[in-house]
Amino acid sequence: MKLLDSDPASTDIAIDPYVGMICVGYHKASNRVRAIDALTQRVLWEAPPEVQCSETGVPAVICGGRAYVVTDTAIWAVALYSGRLIFRTMLESAVQCGFGKPNLWDPCHPSVPGTLVAQTIRDQYLGIERGYGSVLWTLPDAKDLGPVPVPGGVAVCAFDGQQLSTLLLDPNRGPDPV
């Protein structure tokens, strides 16, 4: 029996100091997102049934001590260590994917409040509160590359009408570049 049925491009992998090599992806038999320890080949958790994903889609991205499951306009935040559902939020447009993963980044430590950044297919960045899932701010004209983690924040590319610029955002401050 397979522990995960998602293909390697649809499975996110993270090296965690407490768990080891954790893989999050889709499991067809249970029709759920699940996390496994790749080194011991054991199931760590299965997400609650309300966390939906597509077998062929990009189910999850691991960052900020969480697995963010993305399906079209929905984002579910699941605790990386327990599989507990933290929040579900619905967006006005779908999260954009690039390089096989959702363009989404959470630079925060798992135990602190903060903001994650998501890029939508409508070319905008959203700052989403990581405890409850509410949209805190919007930055229009987000182009090309998705959010990229850098020390102190998130680097994004935005178009001001004439040129593409790289901006450093502190997600907790909002869409004003640092």
Side-chain angles (χ1 to χ4, degrees):
M1 181 171 114
K2 287 185 172 182
L3 293 175
L4 291 178
D5 295 317
S6 51
D7 63 49
S10 298
T11 302
D12 205 14
I13 301 170
I15 304 297
D16 185 87
Y18 302 106
V19 179
M21 184 183 291
I22 188 169
C23 301
V24 177
Y26 178 73
H27 184 247
K28 191 174 188 175
S30 65
N31 195 28
R32 296 219 189 141
V33 172
R34 90 173 9 172
I36 64 165
D37 180 343
L39 300 176
T40 64
Q41 296 292 304
R42 69 183 176 96
V43 176
L44 299 173
W45 52 260
E46 283 190 341
E50 60 263 32
V51 178
Q52 302 171 7
C53 75
S54 167
E55 178 182 352
T56 58
V58 179
V61 61
I62 298 170
C63 54
R66 299 187 175 166
Y68 290 100
V69 179
V70 177
T71 305
D72 295 326
T73 59
I75 298 176
W76 286 270
V78 179
L80 189 58
Y81 299 128
S82 66
R84 178 182 59 85
L85 180 63
I86 298 168
F87 71 78
R88 174 183 178 247
T89 190
M90 294 298 294
L91 306 176
E92 291 180 14
S93 61
V95 173
Q96 186 165 312
C97 291
F99 305 109
K101 300 292 178 203
N103 289 345
L104 170 66
W105 186 253
D106 180 353
C108 301
H109 186 273
S111 65
V112 299
T115 307
L116 68 108
V117 177
Q119 183 182 23
T120 70
I121 60 171
R122 289 192 182 160
D123 288 335
Q124 61 183 198
Y125 290 108
L126 303 176
I128 301 170
E129 199 279 325
R130 66 190 307 270
Y132 303 101
S134 56
V135 176
L136 300 175
W137 54 263
T138 302
L139 176 66
D141 297 324
K143 302 287 184 186
D144 295 334
L145 301 174
V148 177
V150 293
V154 176
V156 299
C157 291
F159 189 68
D160 67 3
Q162 296 182 3
Q163 71 178 14
L164 187 66
S165 301
T166 301
L167 307 173
L168 175 65
L169 299 178
D170 176 346
N172 297 320
R173 277 188 25 195
D176 298 320
V178 175

